[in-house]
Amino acid sequence: MKNEHLPELPLASFQVITDTHVRDDADHIHNRHLVKALADIATFSQGSSGIMHVGDVTDRGLPAEYRELERILKQHAENLPDIRYTVGNHDIGAVVFQNPPLILVEMTADEVAELLEQDEVLDSATGFAKTQTAAELAAIIKQLTGGMYTLPSSLEPDEQLISEEAAGVDSITVAELWHRRMQHFEDTTGMRGTYHNHWIDGYHYIFLGTEQPHPKDCELSAEQLVWLELTLSEHATADRPIFLFLHQPLMNTVAGSMKEQGWYGVNQDAELKAILAQYPQVILFTGHTHWQLEAPRTMYDGEGHMPTMFNASSVGYLWTDQDEHLEGSEGLHVEIYKDRVVVKGRNFVTGEWIEGAEFTVHYPVLD
């Protein structure tokens, strides 16, 4: 006799985390939050299709930060599903994240030299005062540039920034800096390139990412947009979700992406929206804003005209609608059923589901 009281089991499930901002200090709050998040995910991710990371894996893209990430992942490898990664601006941007940010490709040699003469520089990756000596800053710039301290102004990725004769030191192009930082990202995460796709347990997972070292925004090439159109069409049906991951949100969609807030960040916003409008069955997960899941607009309802979109909050630290920093660590758990997708918010610090942060997307998506 059929037991009508048995709960319906999902066909598949996965987790979404973002903005871990791993630092090179094992005891940094970001690192401790990631350790706690992974330990918590291990308690409910049995059979998961994977953890999808939506970018800003590291805080400054430094080799030491990737080594710390590897140390943390090694601790939990046996208890976790595979992790796939989206590239974030903190991972590859040609910038040292200070207050204001130091955009290396827009600085002259004299400006860098003057900066390094200061006794201390405010570090505000999280918006809070933490002093950093000029010597420490110089070490960061040295790591970012492969041993070179000065990066004069240039906006063209393939243009030589400064000649060896003029500088008296080894020179570097923006393109070379980009490739170095991408190499760190790829070597640690196992991803190849800034955009890639995977079929997992019968569902399509597509990852997009910037192709320029912009300090904050995302630059999608024409080639990537063409690739996305072709990839979205692969075995696409209206009654089956497609999962898309991009670090920066589209303007005026999810929490933190309102135009006046300034944290939307896709330079090809209109072009990407035009492509996605053809696939309302897509669910797009973004990070970047750190907005807490209890804030309004965690979910953007495309209402059949656009994909559903979710802000995935942040593992490292949170932000509020009052434009304030909030210590905490959050992410999403996603369950796929025959006629719906359920998305639930998780507080990784307390190990509890977030009340009011559970959402359902029904299929087929109807206008």
Short mmCIF file of all heavy atoms in Angstrom, two decimals, residues 16-23 28-31 33-34 37 51-59 69 84-91 97 125-126 215-216 246-249 255 263 285-292 310-319 326 328-331 348:
data_model
loop_
_atom_site.label_atom_id
_atom_site.label_comp_id
_atom_site.label_asym_id
_atom_site.label_seq_id
_atom_site.Cartn_x
_atom_site.Cartn_y
_atom_site.Cartn_z
N VAL A 16 24.79 27.16 -3.12
CA VAL A 16 25.38 28.35 -3.73
C VAL A 16 26.03 29.18 -2.63
O VAL A 16 25.38 29.55 -1.65
CB VAL A 16 24.33 29.21 -4.46
CG1 VAL A 16 25.01 30.40 -5.14
CG2 VAL A 16 23.55 28.38 -5.49
N ILE A 17 27.32 29.44 -2.79
CA ILE A 17 28.03 30.35 -1.89
C ILE A 17 28.72 31.41 -2.74
O ILE A 17 28.92 31.24 -3.94
CB ILE A 17 29.06 29.62 -0.99
CG1 ILE A 17 30.15 28.96 -1.83
CG2 ILE A 17 28.36 28.62 -0.09
CD1 ILE A 17 31.29 28.37 -1.00
N THR A 18 29.10 32.50 -2.11
CA THR A 18 29.77 33.57 -2.85
C THR A 18 30.55 34.46 -1.89
O THR A 18 30.35 34.42 -0.67
CB THR A 18 28.76 34.40 -3.66
OG1 THR A 18 29.46 35.31 -4.51
CG2 THR A 18 27.81 35.18 -2.75
N ASP A 19 31.45 35.25 -2.46
CA ASP A 19 32.16 36.29 -1.72
C ASP A 19 32.78 35.76 -0.43
O ASP A 19 32.54 36.28 0.67
CB ASP A 19 31.23 37.47 -1.46
CG ASP A 19 30.86 38.18 -2.75
OD1 ASP A 19 31.58 39.11 -3.14
OD2 ASP A 19 29.86 37.79 -3.39
N THR A 20 33.60 34.74 -0.58
CA THR A 20 34.30 34.20 0.58
C THR A 20 35.46 35.09 1.00
O THR A 20 35.85 35.11 2.18
CB THR A 20 34.81 32.78 0.28
OG1 THR A 20 35.48 32.77 -0.99
CG2 THR A 20 33.66 31.79 0.22
N HIS A 21 36.05 35.82 0.06
CA HIS A 21 37.11 36.80 0.36
C HIS A 21 38.20 36.23 1.27
O HIS A 21 38.59 36.84 2.27
CB HIS A 21 36.51 38.06 0.99
CG HIS A 21 35.71 38.89 0.04
ND1 HIS A 21 36.27 39.85 -0.76
CD2 HIS A 21 34.38 38.87 -0.26
CE1 HIS A 21 35.32 40.41 -1.50
NE2 HIS A 21 34.17 39.82 -1.23
N VAL A 22 38.69 35.06 0.91
CA VAL A 22 39.72 34.41 1.71
C VAL A 22 40.96 35.30 1.80
O VAL A 22 41.42 35.87 0.81
CB VAL A 22 40.10 33.04 1.10
CG1 VAL A 22 41.32 32.46 1.79
CG2 VAL A 22 38.91 32.09 1.20
N ARG A 23 41.50 35.43 3.00
CA ARG A 23 42.72 36.20 3.24
C ARG A 23 43.88 35.26 3.54
O ARG A 23 43.69 34.06 3.73
CB ARG A 23 42.50 37.15 4.43
CG ARG A 23 41.43 38.22 4.19
CD ARG A 23 41.87 39.22 3.13
NE ARG A 23 42.94 40.08 3.62
CZ ARG A 23 42.75 41.31 4.09
NH1 ARG A 23 41.56 41.85 4.11
NH2 ARG A 23 43.79 42.01 4.51
N HIS A 28 41.74 35.04 10.07
CA HIS A 28 40.90 36.14 9.63
C HIS A 28 39.44 35.71 9.68
O HIS A 28 39.10 34.55 9.42
CB HIS A 28 41.28 36.56 8.20
CG HIS A 28 40.73 37.89 7.80
ND1 HIS A 28 39.42 38.06 7.41
CD2 HIS A 28 41.31 39.11 7.71
CE1 HIS A 28 39.21 39.34 7.11
NE2 HIS A 28 40.35 39.99 7.29
N ILE A 29 38.54 36.64 10.00
CA ILE A 29 37.11 36.31 10.14
C ILE A 29 36.54 35.72 8.87
O ILE A 29 35.71 34.81 8.90
CB ILE A 29 36.30 37.56 10.59
CG1 ILE A 29 34.84 37.20 10.85
CG2 ILE A 29 36.42 38.68 9.57
CD1 ILE A 29 34.63 36.24 11.99
N HIS A 30 37.01 36.19 7.70
CA HIS A 30 36.52 35.62 6.44
C HIS A 30 36.86 34.13 6.36
O HIS A 30 36.03 33.31 5.95
CB HIS A 30 37.14 36.34 5.24
CG HIS A 30 36.81 37.79 5.15
ND1 HIS A 30 37.36 38.61 4.20
CD2 HIS A 30 35.98 38.57 5.88
CE1 HIS A 30 36.90 39.84 4.35
NE2 HIS A 30 36.07 39.84 5.38
N ASN A 31 38.07 33.79 6.71
CA ASN A 31 38.51 32.40 6.65
C ASN A 31 37.75 31.54 7.65
O ASN A 31 37.35 30.41 7.35
CB ASN A 31 40.01 32.30 6.89
CG ASN A 31 40.83 33.09 5.88
OD1 ASN A 31 40.42 34.16 5.43
ND2 ASN A 31 41.99 32.57 5.52
N HIS A 33 34.80 32.14 8.74
CA HIS A 33 33.44 31.98 8.23
C HIS A 33 33.37 30.89 7.16
O HIS A 33 32.41 30.12 7.11
CB HIS A 33 32.95 33.31 7.64
CG HIS A 33 32.37 34.23 8.67
ND1 HIS A 33 32.15 35.57 8.43
CD2 HIS A 33 31.96 34.01 9.95
CE1 HIS A 33 31.63 36.13 9.51
NE2 HIS A 33 31.51 35.21 10.45
N LEU A 34 34.38 30.82 6.30
CA LEU A 34 34.37 29.79 5.27
C LEU A 34 34.49 28.40 5.89
O LEU A 34 33.79 27.47 5.47
CB LEU A 34 35.51 30.02 4.27
CG LEU A 34 35.64 28.96 3.17
CD1 LEU A 34 34.35 28.83 2.37
CD2 LEU A 34 36.81 29.28 2.25
N ALA A 37 31.15 27.62 7.24
CA ALA A 37 30.17 27.39 6.17
C ALA A 37 30.33 26.00 5.57
O ALA A 37 29.35 25.28 5.36
CB ALA A 37 30.33 28.45 5.09
N ILE A 51 28.68 22.33 -5.03
CA ILE A 51 28.64 23.69 -4.49
C ILE A 51 29.05 24.63 -5.61
O ILE A 51 30.09 24.44 -6.24
CB ILE A 51 29.59 23.84 -3.29
CG1 ILE A 51 29.19 22.89 -2.16
CG2 ILE A 51 29.61 25.28 -2.79
CD1 ILE A 51 30.19 22.84 -1.02
N MET A 52 28.23 25.63 -5.87
CA MET A 52 28.51 26.60 -6.92
C MET A 52 28.96 27.91 -6.26
O MET A 52 28.20 28.52 -5.51
CB MET A 52 27.27 26.83 -7.79
CG MET A 52 26.57 25.54 -8.22
SD MET A 52 27.64 24.39 -9.11
CE MET A 52 26.68 22.86 -9.00
N HIS A 53 30.19 28.30 -6.52
CA HIS A 53 30.77 29.51 -5.92
C HIS A 53 30.65 30.66 -6.92
O HIS A 53 31.12 30.57 -8.04
CB HIS A 53 32.23 29.26 -5.57
CG HIS A 53 32.83 30.26 -4.63
ND1 HIS A 53 32.77 31.62 -4.85
CD2 HIS A 53 33.52 30.09 -3.47
CE1 HIS A 53 33.39 32.25 -3.87
NE2 HIS A 53 33.85 31.35 -3.01
N VAL A 54 30.05 31.78 -6.48
CA VAL A 54 29.72 32.87 -7.41
C VAL A 54 30.73 34.02 -7.33
O VAL A 54 30.40 35.17 -7.58
CB VAL A 54 28.28 33.37 -7.18
CG1 VAL A 54 27.79 34.14 -8.40
CG2 VAL A 54 27.33 32.21 -6.95
N GLY A 55 31.99 33.71 -7.01
CA GLY A 55 33.04 34.69 -7.20
C GLY A 55 33.50 35.44 -5.97
O GLY A 55 32.90 35.38 -4.90
N ASP A 56 34.58 36.22 -6.14
CA ASP A 56 35.35 36.81 -5.04
C ASP A 56 35.75 35.70 -4.09
O ASP A 56 35.49 35.72 -2.89
CB ASP A 56 34.58 37.92 -4.33
CG ASP A 56 34.64 39.24 -5.08
OD1 ASP A 56 35.27 39.29 -6.16
OD2 ASP A 56 34.04 40.22 -4.61
N VAL A 57 36.41 34.72 -4.67
CA VAL A 57 36.91 33.59 -3.91
C VAL A 57 37.95 34.07 -2.90
O VAL A 57 37.93 33.71 -1.73
CB VAL A 57 37.54 32.54 -4.85
CG1 VAL A 57 38.06 31.35 -4.05
CG2 VAL A 57 36.51 32.09 -5.89
N THR A 58 38.86 34.92 -3.38
CA THR A 58 39.88 35.53 -2.52
C THR A 58 39.60 37.02 -2.37
O THR A 58 38.79 37.60 -3.09
CB THR A 58 41.28 35.34 -3.13
OG1 THR A 58 41.32 36.01 -4.40
CG2 THR A 58 41.59 33.88 -3.31
N ASP A 59 40.30 37.63 -1.43
CA ASP A 59 40.09 39.06 -1.19
C ASP A 59 40.94 39.94 -2.09
O ASP A 59 40.51 41.01 -2.50
CB ASP A 59 40.39 39.38 0.28
CG ASP A 59 39.79 40.71 0.70
OD1 ASP A 59 38.60 40.94 0.40
OD2 ASP A 59 40.50 41.52 1.32
N LEU A 69 43.18 29.07 0.89
CA LEU A 69 41.96 28.43 0.42
C LEU A 69 42.17 26.92 0.27
O LEU A 69 41.33 26.12 0.70
CB LEU A 69 41.53 29.03 -0.92
CG LEU A 69 40.36 28.34 -1.63
CD1 LEU A 69 39.08 28.48 -0.81
CD2 LEU A 69 40.17 28.90 -3.04
N ARG A 84 32.44 24.24 -7.97
CA ARG A 84 32.73 24.91 -9.24
C ARG A 84 32.66 26.41 -9.00
O ARG A 84 31.86 26.89 -8.21
CB ARG A 84 31.75 24.45 -10.31
CG ARG A 84 31.98 22.98 -10.68
CD ARG A 84 30.90 22.43 -11.59
NE ARG A 84 31.21 21.04 -11.98
CZ ARG A 84 30.93 19.98 -11.24
NH1 ARG A 84 30.31 20.14 -10.07
NH2 ARG A 84 31.24 18.76 -11.65
N TYR A 85 33.49 27.16 -9.72
CA TYR A 85 33.74 28.54 -9.35
C TYR A 85 33.44 29.53 -10.48
O TYR A 85 33.70 29.26 -11.66
CB TYR A 85 35.21 28.72 -8.96
CG TYR A 85 35.63 27.94 -7.74
CD1 TYR A 85 36.01 26.60 -7.85
CD2 TYR A 85 35.67 28.54 -6.49
CE1 TYR A 85 36.42 25.88 -6.74
CE2 TYR A 85 36.08 27.81 -5.37
CZ TYR A 85 36.45 26.49 -5.50
OH TYR A 85 36.87 25.78 -4.39
N THR A 86 32.94 30.69 -10.07
CA THR A 86 32.80 31.86 -10.92
C THR A 86 33.91 32.84 -10.54
O THR A 86 34.24 32.97 -9.36
CB THR A 86 31.44 32.55 -10.67
OG1 THR A 86 30.43 31.57 -10.52
CG2 THR A 86 31.09 33.51 -11.79
N VAL A 87 34.46 33.54 -11.50
CA VAL A 87 35.50 34.50 -11.19
C VAL A 87 34.86 35.81 -10.72
O VAL A 87 33.84 36.24 -11.24
CB VAL A 87 36.43 34.73 -12.40
CG1 VAL A 87 35.72 35.49 -13.52
CG2 VAL A 87 37.70 35.43 -12.00
N GLY A 88 35.46 36.44 -9.70
CA GLY A 88 34.96 37.71 -9.19
C GLY A 88 35.97 38.82 -9.38
O GLY A 88 37.15 38.56 -9.66
N ASN A 89 35.55 40.06 -9.21
CA ASN A 89 36.45 41.19 -9.43
C ASN A 89 37.63 41.19 -8.44
O ASN A 89 38.74 41.59 -8.80
CB ASN A 89 35.69 42.51 -9.36
CG ASN A 89 34.93 42.69 -8.05
OD1 ASN A 89 34.01 41.93 -7.76
ND2 ASN A 89 35.30 43.70 -7.27
N HIS A 90 37.42 40.73 -7.22
CA HIS A 90 38.52 40.69 -6.27
C HIS A 90 39.56 39.64 -6.65
O HIS A 90 40.73 39.76 -6.26
CB HIS A 90 38.00 40.39 -4.85
CG HIS A 90 37.50 41.60 -4.12
ND1 HIS A 90 38.15 42.14 -3.05
CD2 HIS A 90 36.41 42.37 -4.34
CE1 HIS A 90 37.48 43.21 -2.61
NE2 HIS A 90 36.42 43.35 -3.38
N ASP A 91 39.14 38.65 -7.40
CA ASP A 91 40.07 37.59 -7.81
C ASP A 91 41.02 38.05 -8.90
O ASP A 91 42.19 37.63 -8.92
CB ASP A 91 39.29 36.37 -8.31
CG ASP A 91 38.36 35.80 -7.26
OD1 ASP A 91 38.81 35.62 -6.12
OD2 ASP A 91 37.19 35.54 -7.58
N PHE A 97 42.83 46.55 -2.89
CA PHE A 97 41.58 47.00 -2.30
C PHE A 97 41.82 47.78 -1.01
O PHE A 97 41.86 47.23 0.07
CB PHE A 97 40.66 45.81 -2.08
CG PHE A 97 40.13 45.26 -3.37
CD1 PHE A 97 40.80 44.25 -4.02
CD2 PHE A 97 39.01 45.81 -3.96
CE1 PHE A 97 40.35 43.77 -5.23
CE2 PHE A 97 38.55 45.34 -5.17
CZ PHE A 97 39.21 44.31 -5.82
N ALA A 125 38.94 46.68 2.78
CA ALA A 125 38.27 45.67 1.96
C ALA A 125 36.86 45.43 2.47
O ALA A 125 35.96 45.10 1.72
CB ALA A 125 39.06 44.37 1.98
N THR A 126 36.66 45.63 3.79
CA THR A 126 35.32 45.48 4.35
C THR A 126 34.75 46.82 4.78
O THR A 126 33.70 46.87 5.39
CB THR A 126 35.36 44.55 5.58
OG1 THR A 126 36.20 45.13 6.57
CG2 THR A 126 35.89 43.19 5.21
N PRO A 215 38.38 46.80 -11.73
CA PRO A 215 38.38 46.69 -10.27
C PRO A 215 37.02 46.34 -9.66
O PRO A 215 36.97 45.83 -8.54
CB PRO A 215 38.85 48.07 -9.80
CG PRO A 215 38.56 48.98 -10.95
CD PRO A 215 38.77 48.16 -12.19
N LYS A 216 35.92 46.60 -10.39
CA LYS A 216 34.61 46.32 -9.81
C LYS A 216 33.64 45.66 -10.78
O LYS A 216 32.92 44.74 -10.40
CB LYS A 216 33.97 47.61 -9.28
CG LYS A 216 32.72 47.36 -8.43
CD LYS A 216 32.09 48.65 -7.92
CE LYS A 216 31.30 49.35 -9.02
NZ LYS A 216 30.45 50.45 -8.48
N LEU A 246 26.86 34.25 -12.21
CA LEU A 246 27.65 35.43 -12.60
C LEU A 246 27.89 36.26 -11.35
O LEU A 246 26.97 36.47 -10.56
CB LEU A 246 26.88 36.25 -13.65
CG LEU A 246 27.47 37.60 -14.06
CD1 LEU A 246 28.84 37.44 -14.71
CD2 LEU A 246 26.52 38.32 -15.02
N HIS A 247 29.10 36.74 -11.17
CA HIS A 247 29.41 37.44 -9.93
C HIS A 247 28.59 38.72 -9.76
O HIS A 247 27.95 38.94 -8.72
CB HIS A 247 30.90 37.77 -9.86
CG HIS A 247 31.30 38.46 -8.59
ND1 HIS A 247 31.18 37.85 -7.35
CD2 HIS A 247 31.78 39.71 -8.35
CE1 HIS A 247 31.57 38.70 -6.41
NE2 HIS A 247 31.94 39.82 -6.98
N GLN A 248 28.61 39.60 -10.75
CA GLN A 248 27.92 40.88 -10.66
C GLN A 248 26.45 40.75 -11.08
O GLN A 248 26.14 40.11 -12.09
CB GLN A 248 28.61 41.93 -11.53
CG GLN A 248 29.99 42.34 -11.05
CD GLN A 248 31.10 41.47 -11.62
OE1 GLN A 248 30.85 40.39 -12.15
NE2 GLN A 248 32.34 41.94 -11.55
N PRO A 249 25.54 41.38 -10.33
CA PRO A 249 24.12 41.33 -10.71
C PRO A 249 23.80 42.31 -11.83
O PRO A 249 24.53 43.28 -12.07
CB PRO A 249 23.41 41.74 -9.42
CG PRO A 249 24.38 42.66 -8.74
CD PRO A 249 25.75 42.11 -9.07
N ALA A 255 18.63 42.32 -4.64
CA ALA A 255 19.05 43.21 -3.56
C ALA A 255 20.46 43.75 -3.79
O ALA A 255 21.37 43.01 -4.13
CB ALA A 255 18.99 42.47 -2.23
N TRP A 263 25.87 48.97 -7.08
CA TRP A 263 26.56 47.68 -7.04
C TRP A 263 26.14 46.74 -8.15
O TRP A 263 26.56 45.58 -8.14
CB TRP A 263 26.38 47.03 -5.67
CG TRP A 263 27.26 47.69 -4.68
CD1 TRP A 263 26.89 48.60 -3.71
CD2 TRP A 263 28.68 47.56 -4.57
NE1 TRP A 263 27.99 49.02 -3.01
CE2 TRP A 263 29.11 48.41 -3.52
CE3 TRP A 263 29.64 46.81 -5.25
CZ2 TRP A 263 30.44 48.52 -3.14
CZ3 TRP A 263 30.97 46.93 -4.89
CH2 TRP A 263 31.35 47.77 -3.83
N PHE A 285 22.03 33.19 -10.42
CA PHE A 285 22.53 33.46 -9.08
C PHE A 285 23.71 34.42 -9.18
O PHE A 285 24.65 34.19 -9.95
CB PHE A 285 22.99 32.17 -8.40
CG PHE A 285 21.90 31.18 -8.16
CD1 PHE A 285 21.61 30.20 -9.11
CD2 PHE A 285 21.14 31.21 -7.00
CE1 PHE A 285 20.60 29.26 -8.90
CE2 PHE A 285 20.12 30.28 -6.78
CZ PHE A 285 19.85 29.31 -7.74
N THR A 286 23.67 35.50 -8.39
CA THR A 286 24.76 36.48 -8.39
C THR A 286 25.21 36.77 -6.96
O THR A 286 24.51 36.49 -5.99
CB THR A 286 24.33 37.80 -9.06
OG1 THR A 286 23.21 38.35 -8.35
CG2 THR A 286 23.94 37.58 -10.51
N GLY A 287 26.41 37.36 -6.85
CA GLY A 287 26.95 37.78 -5.56
C GLY A 287 27.26 39.25 -5.59
O GLY A 287 26.43 40.07 -5.94
N HIS A 288 28.49 39.62 -5.17
CA HIS A 288 29.03 40.96 -5.33
C HIS A 288 28.50 41.98 -4.33
O HIS A 288 29.27 42.77 -3.78
CB HIS A 288 28.78 41.45 -6.76
CG HIS A 288 29.56 42.66 -7.16
ND1 HIS A 288 30.93 42.76 -7.01
CD2 HIS A 288 29.16 43.84 -7.72
CE1 HIS A 288 31.33 43.94 -7.47
NE2 HIS A 288 30.29 44.61 -7.89
N THR A 289 27.20 41.98 -4.06
CA THR A 289 26.62 43.04 -3.22
C THR A 289 26.72 42.71 -1.73
O THR A 289 26.64 43.62 -0.91
CB THR A 289 25.14 43.27 -3.56
OG1 THR A 289 24.34 42.19 -3.07
CG2 THR A 289 24.93 43.43 -5.06
N HIS A 290 26.83 41.43 -1.38
CA HIS A 290 26.88 40.98 0.03
C HIS A 290 25.56 41.19 0.76
O HIS A 290 25.50 41.01 1.98
CB HIS A 290 28.00 41.68 0.81
CG HIS A 290 29.38 41.31 0.39
ND1 HIS A 290 30.28 40.70 1.24
CD2 HIS A 290 30.03 41.46 -0.79
CE1 HIS A 290 31.42 40.49 0.60
NE2 HIS A 290 31.29 40.94 -0.63
N TRP A 291 24.51 41.58 0.06
CA TRP A 291 23.26 41.91 0.75
C TRP A 291 22.71 40.70 1.49
O TRP A 291 22.64 39.59 0.96
CB TRP A 291 22.22 42.41 -0.25
CG TRP A 291 21.83 43.84 -0.02
CD1 TRP A 291 20.64 44.30 0.47
CD2 TRP A 291 22.62 45.01 -0.29
NE1 TRP A 291 20.64 45.67 0.53
CE2 TRP A 291 21.85 46.14 0.07
CE3 TRP A 291 23.90 45.22 -0.78
CZ2 TRP A 291 22.31 47.45 -0.06
CZ3 TRP A 291 24.37 46.52 -0.90
CH2 TRP A 291 23.57 47.61 -0.54
N GLN A 292 22.32 40.90 2.74
CA GLN A 292 21.82 39.81 3.57
C GLN A 292 20.52 39.25 2.99
O GLN A 292 19.73 39.96 2.34
CB GLN A 292 21.59 40.30 5.00
CG GLN A 292 20.51 41.36 5.13
CD GLN A 292 20.26 41.80 6.56
OE1 GLN A 292 20.12 42.98 6.83
NE2 GLN A 292 20.20 40.86 7.48
N PHE A 310 18.53 35.45 -8.16
CA PHE A 310 18.73 35.41 -6.71
C PHE A 310 20.05 36.08 -6.32
O PHE A 310 21.10 35.83 -6.94
CB PHE A 310 18.75 33.97 -6.20
CG PHE A 310 17.41 33.32 -6.12
CD1 PHE A 310 16.96 32.52 -7.16
CD2 PHE A 310 16.58 33.51 -5.02
CE1 PHE A 310 15.70 31.92 -7.11
CE2 PHE A 310 15.34 32.91 -4.95
CZ PHE A 310 14.89 32.12 -6.00
N ASN A 311 19.98 36.90 -5.29
CA ASN A 311 21.18 37.37 -4.61
C ASN A 311 21.61 36.26 -3.66
O ASN A 311 20.82 35.78 -2.84
CB ASN A 311 20.86 38.65 -3.83
CG ASN A 311 21.81 38.87 -2.67
OD1 ASN A 311 23.02 38.85 -2.85
ND2 ASN A 311 21.25 39.06 -1.47
N ALA A 312 22.88 35.84 -3.75
CA ALA A 312 23.35 34.72 -2.93
C ALA A 312 24.04 35.16 -1.65
O ALA A 312 24.68 34.35 -0.98
CB ALA A 312 24.29 33.84 -3.76
N SER A 313 23.95 36.45 -1.31
CA SER A 313 24.50 36.98 -0.07
C SER A 313 26.03 36.87 -0.05
O SER A 313 26.69 37.15 -1.04
CB SER A 313 23.86 36.31 1.15
OG SER A 313 24.18 36.99 2.34
N SER A 314 26.62 36.43 1.06
CA SER A 314 28.08 36.38 1.18
C SER A 314 28.49 35.49 2.35
O SER A 314 27.84 35.50 3.40
CB SER A 314 28.66 37.78 1.39
OG SER A 314 30.01 37.73 1.79
N VAL A 315 29.56 34.77 2.15
CA VAL A 315 30.14 33.98 3.25
C VAL A 315 31.03 34.85 4.13
O VAL A 315 31.06 34.69 5.35
CB VAL A 315 30.94 32.78 2.69
CG1 VAL A 315 31.74 32.10 3.79
CG2 VAL A 315 30.00 31.78 2.02
N GLY A 316 31.76 35.80 3.52
CA GLY A 316 32.74 36.59 4.26
C GLY A 316 32.13 37.57 5.23
O GLY A 316 32.47 37.58 6.43
N TYR A 317 31.24 38.42 4.75
CA TYR A 317 30.55 39.41 5.59
C TYR A 317 29.33 39.89 4.84
O TYR A 317 29.21 39.74 3.62
CB TYR A 317 31.46 40.58 5.97
CG TYR A 317 31.90 41.43 4.79
CD1 TYR A 317 31.20 42.57 4.41
CD2 TYR A 317 33.04 41.08 4.06
CE1 TYR A 317 31.61 43.33 3.32
CE2 TYR A 317 33.46 41.84 2.98
CZ TYR A 317 32.74 42.96 2.61
OH TYR A 317 33.14 43.71 1.53
N LEU A 318 28.38 40.52 5.56
CA LEU A 318 27.09 40.89 4.98
C LEU A 318 26.95 42.40 4.88
O LEU A 318 27.70 43.17 5.49
CB LEU A 318 25.95 40.32 5.83
CG LEU A 318 26.03 38.82 6.15
CD1 LEU A 318 24.85 38.41 7.02
CD2 LEU A 318 26.10 37.99 4.88
N TRP A 319 25.95 42.82 4.08
CA TRP A 319 25.59 44.23 3.94
C TRP A 319 24.08 44.37 4.04
O TRP A 319 23.35 43.42 3.76
CB TRP A 319 26.08 44.77 2.59
CG TRP A 319 26.43 46.23 2.64
CD1 TRP A 319 25.70 47.29 2.17
CD2 TRP A 319 27.62 46.80 3.21
NE1 TRP A 319 26.36 48.47 2.42
CE2 TRP A 319 27.53 48.20 3.05
CE3 TRP A 319 28.74 46.26 3.85
CZ2 TRP A 319 28.53 49.07 3.51
CZ3 TRP A 319 29.72 47.12 4.29
CH2 TRP A 319 29.61 48.50 4.11
N LEU A 326 27.51 44.23 8.16
CA LEU A 326 26.92 43.36 9.16
C LEU A 326 27.77 42.09 9.24
O LEU A 326 27.97 41.41 8.23
CB LEU A 326 25.48 43.00 8.78
CG LEU A 326 24.74 42.04 9.73
CD1 LEU A 326 24.51 42.69 11.09
CD2 LEU A 326 23.40 41.63 9.11
N GLY A 328 28.47 38.40 9.58
CA GLY A 328 27.63 37.23 9.37
C GLY A 328 28.10 36.45 8.16
O GLY A 328 29.03 36.85 7.45
N SER A 329 27.45 35.33 7.89
CA SER A 329 27.86 34.44 6.81
C SER A 329 26.64 33.66 6.34
O SER A 329 25.99 32.97 7.14
CB SER A 329 28.95 33.49 7.32
OG SER A 329 29.40 32.64 6.30
N GLU A 330 26.31 33.77 5.05
CA GLU A 330 25.08 33.18 4.53
C GLU A 330 25.31 32.55 3.15
O GLU A 330 26.29 32.84 2.47
CB GLU A 330 23.98 34.23 4.42
CG GLU A 330 23.57 34.87 5.73
CD GLU A 330 22.54 35.98 5.55
OE1 GLU A 330 22.38 36.48 4.41
OE2 GLU A 330 21.91 36.35 6.55
N GLY A 331 24.37 31.71 2.75
CA GLY A 331 24.38 31.14 1.41
C GLY A 331 23.04 30.50 1.11
O GLY A 331 22.08 30.64 1.88
N PHE A 348 25.14 30.38 8.09
CA PHE A 348 26.24 29.45 8.35
C PHE A 348 26.82 29.61 9.74
O PHE A 348 27.48 28.70 10.26
CB PHE A 348 27.34 29.63 7.31
CG PHE A 348 26.92 29.24 5.91
CD1 PHE A 348 27.17 30.08 4.83
CD2 PHE A 348 26.28 28.02 5.68
CE1 PHE A 348 26.80 29.71 3.55
CE2 PHE A 348 25.90 27.65 4.39
CZ PHE A 348 26.17 28.49 3.33
#
